């Protein structure tokens, strides 16, 4: 993190304290709001590094919380109670936790130290009871004449440790892990070449859903999974979309192949998963989100917003968008879709007709940032 010269004498504790003070006194960036006993927030991160808290009951920007350090990828995770959020920032090295109603900085973890630089690629999750935070660390040791790539690991933090938290324990994991999620059974789902689960107490790893290693015979291609953005907190599930080709013969002629969207879906209450094809691959979908009223209805977004019935394996409706978007979310009652990323506007759509009903303009570019929902699960 680049620290202005006048702040270097503060030290880390002083810097974090200053950031917390800034979050509480940031003028136009932070708007005070009365206590809401049942908040429903839409969360995202914008450049140069601000957590945006949107009131989903009014579709207005409630407050903006400055995050220490430089913008990373915009990865974030809400707490299960819907009142806190944790942001991966400072070029994807550090984690900062905020109280959503006040922007108070309540947690920080700087993952790099000494000659070891640590990056985390989207991999951030909070335990089901809200007590622990998990990241997948990708460390590199910087020597005078070379870089030494070190084994990746899952790091476990205690959220109650507050500012300057250190890992309680670490466990080795495979490479290529991006988005992760915690289960109620004490595991963390790891989205990599395959979907795996790691026990956060013992470090034991099991395969949840084979993707790169699946063996369906010569009539299927290896699937291509997109493990960037996280959706599913409103249904307590983890979704991993993928594409795959089904061939007409072992010769695997691409010209006659039938292409499918598929999905690995993990129930975070049990850690159990299902993997299957869900509808034909006719256009690109960056992210999928399920309707809270019907798990068979999925919505997707990229250059279009689409609605799908996976029980019938068909697309119900497609509407062109005014620009490219990356991430889609849905309101708690299932009536509204929120489509963001790739700019400074979140597009709001009716979930039945898919027609645009409004927009939320943000004071900064979301770029690759997550769009997440935060509210207490009923």
């Amino acid at each position: 993190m680049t620290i202005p010269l006048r702040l270097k004498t503060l030290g880390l504790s002083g810097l974090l304290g200053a950031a917390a003070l800034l979050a509480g006194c940031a003028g136009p960036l932070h708007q005070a709001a009365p206590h809401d006993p049942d908040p429903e927030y839409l969360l995202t991160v914008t450049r140069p590094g601000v957590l945006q808290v949107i009131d989903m009951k009014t579709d207005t920007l409630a407050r903006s919380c400055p995050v220490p350090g430089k913008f990373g990828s915009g990865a974030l995770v809400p707490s299960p109670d819907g009142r806190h959020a944790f942001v991966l920032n400072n070029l994807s090295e550090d984690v900062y936790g905020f109280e959503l109603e006040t922007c108070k900085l309540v947690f920080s973890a700087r993952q790099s130290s000494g000659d070891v630089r640590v990056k985390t690629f989207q991999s951030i999750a909070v335990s089901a009871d809200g007590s622990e935070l998990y990241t997948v660390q990708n460390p590199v040791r910087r020597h005078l004449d070379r870089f030494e790539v070190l084994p990746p690991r899952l790091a476990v933090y205690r959220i109650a440790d507050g500012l300057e938290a250190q890992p309680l324990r670490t466990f080795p994991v495979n490479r290529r892990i991006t988005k992760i999620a915690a289960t109620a059974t004490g595991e963390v789902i790891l989205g990599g070449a395959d979907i795996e689960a790691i026990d956060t107490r013992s470090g034991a790893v099991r395969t949840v859903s084979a993707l790169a290693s699946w063996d369906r015979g010569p009539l299927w291609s290896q699937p291509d999974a997109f493990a960037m953005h996280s959706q599913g907190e409103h249904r307590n599930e983890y979704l991993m979309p993928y594409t795959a080709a089904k061939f007409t013969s072992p010769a695997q002629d691409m010209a006659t192949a039938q292409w499918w969207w598929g999905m690995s879906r993990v129930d975070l209450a049990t850690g159990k998963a299902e993997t299957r094809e869900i509808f034909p691959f006719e256009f690109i979908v960056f992210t999928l989100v399920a309707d809270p009223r019907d798990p068979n209805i999925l919505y997707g977004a990229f250059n279009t917003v689409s609605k799908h019935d996976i029980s019938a394996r068909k697309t119900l409706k497609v509407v062109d968008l005014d620009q490219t978007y990356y991430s889609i979310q849905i309101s708690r009652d299932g009536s509204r879709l929120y489509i963001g990323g790739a700019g400074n506007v979140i597009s709001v759509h009716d979930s039945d007709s898919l027609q645009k009903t409004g927009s939320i303009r943000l004071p900064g570019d979301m770029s690759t940032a997550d769009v997440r929902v935060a509210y207490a699960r009923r």
Side-chain angles (χ1 to χ4, degrees):
M1 178 173 64
T2 301
I3 304 173
L5 182 61
R6 63 182 179 274
L7 292 179
K8 284 186 177 179
T9 56
L10 288 174
L12 177 59
S13 298
L15 179 62
L16 292 175
L21 180 62
L22 176 64
C25 307
L29 279 179
H30 170 73
Q31 298 86 38
H35 175 74
D36 186 342
D38 188 25
E40 184 179 358
Y41 295 129
L42 188 72
L43 308 175
T44 192
V45 181
T46 59
R47 293 180 185 274
V50 182
L51 171 64
Q52 306 291 357
V53 183
I54 297 159
D55 185 345
M56 296 177 74
K57 295 179 180 178
T58 61
D59 287 350
T60 58
L61 182 62
R63 59 197 63 87
S64 301
C65 311
V67 185
K70 296 180 179 179
F71 184 85
S73 66
L76 69 98
V77 61
S79 61
D81 65 2
R83 297 192 176 276
H84 297 83
F86 300 83
V87 180
L88 179 63
N89 210 51
N90 194 30
L91 303 178
S92 300
E93 291 186 22
D94 304 335
V95 179
Y96 298 96
F98 295 88
E99 185 179 83
L100 292 177
E101 287 200 355
T102 65
C103 283
K104 180 181 179 181
L105 183 65
V106 296
F107 178 87
S108 67
R110 295 192 56 171
Q111 301 190 100
S112 298
S113 63
D115 61 356
V116 176
R117 177 67 56 84
V118 172
K119 298 288 185 180
T120 292
F121 304 110
Q122 302 299 115
S123 309
I124 180 171
V126 174
S127 63
D129 64 2
S131 66
E132 292 184 336
L133 180 134
Y134 311 108
T135 67
V136 174
Q137 299 181 337
N138 298 274
V140 173
R141 176 168 281 115
R142 296 175 293 174
H143 297 276
L144 291 176
D145 59 343
R146 69 192 188 281
F147 293 99
E148 179 188 0
V149 179
L150 304 175
R153 62 204 178 213
L154 178 81
V156 182
Y157 293 88
R158 181 169 48 220
I159 291 174
D161 286 347
L163 304 184
E164 303 182 54
Q166 297 296 315
L168 297 177
R169 52 195 181 274
T170 62
F171 302 104
V173 295
N174 288 323
R175 295 198 181 278
R176 298 170 57 188
I177 293 170
T178 51
K179 67 179 185 179
I180 65 177
T183 73
T185 59
E187 294 180 312
V188 168
I189 303 300
L190 307 172
D194 292 321
I195 298 178
E196 299 176 316
I198 183 170
D199 188 300
T200 60
R201 295 294 171 181
S202 68
V205 177
R206 65 182 178 90
T207 298
V208 175
S209 179
L211 291 173
S213 67
W214 80 0
D215 183 9
R216 291 195 179 183
L219 295 185
W220 283 94
S221 70
Q222 185 182 77
D224 183 10
F226 185 68
M228 177 69 176
H229 297 289
S230 294
Q231 274 79 19
E233 56 268 21
H234 66 298
R235 292 191 54 84
N236 200 27
E237 64 183 5
Y238 173 100
L239 300 181
M240 176 77 84
Y242 66 84
T243 61
K246 184 177 183 181
F247 301 106
T248 57
S249 75
Q252 297 191 352
D253 182 358
M254 289 289 185
T256 59
Q258 187 178 34
W259 287 86
W260 286 92
W261 279 104
M263 177 180 66
S264 288
R265 186 178 217 166
V266 184
D267 182 343
L268 296 180
T270 64
K272 296 180 179 179
E274 63 168 345
T275 300
R276 63 189 178 98
E277 287 61 61
I278 52 177
F279 54 87
F281 181 12
E282 299 170 319
F283 46 84
I284 294 175
V285 173
F286 245 46
T287 46
L288 293 169
V289 68
D291 194 306
R293 302 161 297 185
D294 184 348
N296 288 311
I297 301 299
L298 296 184
Y299 305 90
F302 185 52
N303 291 325
T304 60
V305 57
S306 53
K307 185 174 184 177
H308 312 271
D309 182 348
I310 64 173
S311 65
R313 299 212 299 183
K314 67 179 182 179
T315 297
L316 302 177
K317 190 172 297 186
V318 183
V319 172
D320 288 334
L321 294 171
D322 56 357
Q323 66 175 64
T324 296
Y325 294 90
Y326 295 152
S327 189
I328 186 169
Q329 280 292 355
I330 193 166
S331 61
R332 178 156 49 182
D333 65 5
S335 66
R336 301 180 311 283
L337 301 171
Y338 296 85
I339 311 171
N344 71 328
V345 174
I346 293 174
S347 191
V348 185
H349 294 251
D350 177 80
S351 64
D352 182 33
S353 68
L354 301 187
Q355 294 302 312
K356 185 173 181 176
T357 60
S359 60
I360 303 167
R361 189 169 296 275
L362 302 175
D365 177 17
M366 289 171 280
S367 186
T368 57
D370 281 333
V371 179
R372 308 291 297 263
V373 292
Y375 45 74
R377 299 189 189 115
R378 292 170 175 167

